[in-house]
Amino acid sequence: MPSSAAVIERDLLQFLETVARESVRGPDDDLFAGGYLNSLGALELVAFLEGQYGIAVEVEDLDLDNFRSVTRIVDFVLAKRSAREQGGSPGAAAAAPGGSGR
């Protein structure tokens, strides 16, 4: 399932527009503070990411900083896929750059 950062960003923006019923202004907008995502939307996002990109979002990944913006989500997905491709389990990636590193 190779997807470039640009393709993942496009897919995320389309998904978020469906969930939030409005367009996200920019890839660095805070999705929670901006009202694009609430707790239910965050659950839907995790399910979308797991299904769309074949990654496993583990409990230790559930740091809001990993999901705060489209840019951070793209980084998170790419890090998870990279860890999986390097022989780790789908949940073996460290937090995405810009996250808390938990």
Side-chain angles (χ1 to χ4, degrees):
M1 268 181 262
S3 297
S4 69
V7 171
I8 295 169
E9 181 178 311
R10 182 201 65 213
D11 292 347
L12 280 169
L13 289 170
Q14 289 175 347
F15 169 80
L16 291 166
E17 185 172 343
T18 301
V19 170
R21 294 184 174 88
E22 64 179 291
S23 296
V24 176
R25 288 176 293 189
D28 294 316
D29 284 356
D30 188 315
L31 299 174
F32 296 97
Y36 300 108
L37 282 179
N38 56 25
S39 57
L40 179 58
L43 291 173
E44 292 179 59
L45 173 64
V46 167
F48 170 77
L49 296 175
E50 290 182 329
Q52 184 76 14
Y53 302 110
I55 62 172
V57 179
E58 305 293 338
V59 171
E60 60 268 13
D61 297 325
L62 296 176
D63 181 337
L64 282 182
D65 283 339
N66 287 333
F67 305 99
R68 191 163 302 283
S69 70
V70 170
T71 299
R72 288 186 181 191
I73 298 168
V74 170
D75 290 344
F76 174 78
V77 169
L78 293 174
K80 294 291 278 188
R81 289 192 342 190
S82 176
R84 184 187 65 212
E85 291 166 3
Q86 293 175 9
S89 68
S100 69
R102 288 199 265 169

